[in-house]
Amino acid sequence: MSASTKNSQLDWLTFALNVLIEKGPEHLRIAKLCELKGVTKGSFYHHFNNRAVFIECLMSHWYETTTLSFIEQANTQGSAQEKLQKLDSVIANNNIEAEKHIRAWALNEPAIQIYLQKIDNQRQQYLAQCYVELGLAQSQANDIALMAYANFLGMQQIHPEPSIEDVLRISAMASKALLPPM
């Protein structure tokens, strides 16, 4: 990795997500990040005007990579059933470990809560859209999307944590029980 790539904005964001996972949100302070990365604060300020801009960029990056990109990949499929299966596959084949850490961080960081509202709404709307395509009324599709999404998030909080494959399989099983026969 070249020096310019090592200190690119994307590298900073990837680094910050790893720090969040490994050390917690208290380490996502400018001085602490620079110390952990072994760089001066100037490297940080080259990409981010302040911590608020950094958090905005971090959450935008996470939104784009784990919501928009996942939906875009799922939408390469034809039917709603295939889209849901592809979405599960994409989730299973990507590292989503930061999810629970971001949600824990949001408990004490109001700026994060705003992003979670946007992300959660978009994810549930996507699921509901697929369920409507499968023949459900919008209100029922919304309810099942909420249930499936809450089930998916909640299962990630169990200890010992089930594998992502088990989380996806069980979440799908619960929502499929409420879908019209295919």
Side-chain angles (χ1 to χ4, degrees), residues 83-111:
K83 289 176 185 177
L84 291 168
Q85 289 170 345
K86 178 68 173 185
L87 182 61
D88 284 352
S89 174
V90 169
I91 292 168
N93 289 307
N94 282 274
N95 183 354
I96 60 166
E97 178 70 16
E99 179 92 28
K100 63 185 171 188
H101 298 279
I102 287 172
R103 290 181 181 284
W105 185 21
L107 296 173
N108 297 311
E109 187 76 49

Side-chain angles (χ1 to χ4, degrees), residues 26-55:
E26 63 279 2
H27 287 82
L28 295 183
R29 303 277 179 211
I30 297 168
K32 194 65 167 167
L33 281 169
C34 291
E35 176 187 324
L36 291 169
K37 198 163 176 37
V39 299
T40 65
K41 288 182 184 179
S43 176
F44 178 90
Y45 287 113
H46 177 74
H47 299 291
F48 314 103
N49 291 340
N50 53 45
R51 186 168 184 272
V53 170
F54 163 71
I55 289 173

Side-chain angles (χ1 to χ4, degrees), residues 43-124:
S43 176
F44 178 90
Y45 287 113
H46 177 74
H47 299 291
F48 314 103
N49 291 340
N50 53 45
R51 186 168 184 272
V53 170
F54 163 71
I55 289 173
E56 183 178 319
C57 289
L58 183 65
M59 292 308 300
S60 291
H61 170 69
W62 185 63
Y63 168 66
E64 290 167 11
T65 58
T66 63
T67 299
L68 295 180
S69 175
F70 286 11
I71 289 171
E72 183 179 304
Q73 292 175 64
N75 278 337
T76 62
Q77 304 304 299
S79 72
Q81 185 66 38
E82 292 168 328
K83 289 176 185 177
L84 291 168
Q85 289 170 345
K86 178 68 173 185
L87 182 61
D88 284 352
S89 174
V90 169
I91 292 168
N93 289 307
N94 282 274
N95 183 354
I96 60 166
E97 178 70 16
E99 179 92 28
K100 63 185 171 188
H101 298 279
I102 287 172
R103 290 181 181 284
W105 185 21
L107 296 173
N108 297 311
E109 187 76 49
I112 305 301
Q113 295 170 16
I114 294 165
Y115 278 92
L116 285 180
Q117 288 174 354
K118 176 182 176 179
I119 289 164
D120 289 348
N121 284 336
Q122 182 153 11
R123 290 174 178 178
Q124 288 175 68

Side-chain angles (χ1 to χ4, degrees), residues 2 5 10 14 42 62 70 75 97 100 123 126 133 166 173 177 179:
S2 70
T5 305
L10 178 58
T14 302
W62 185 63
F70 286 11
N75 278 337
E97 178 70 16
K100 63 185 171 188
R123 290 174 178 178
Y126 184 75
E133 289 177 31
D166 286 346
M173 181 183 3
L179 296 175

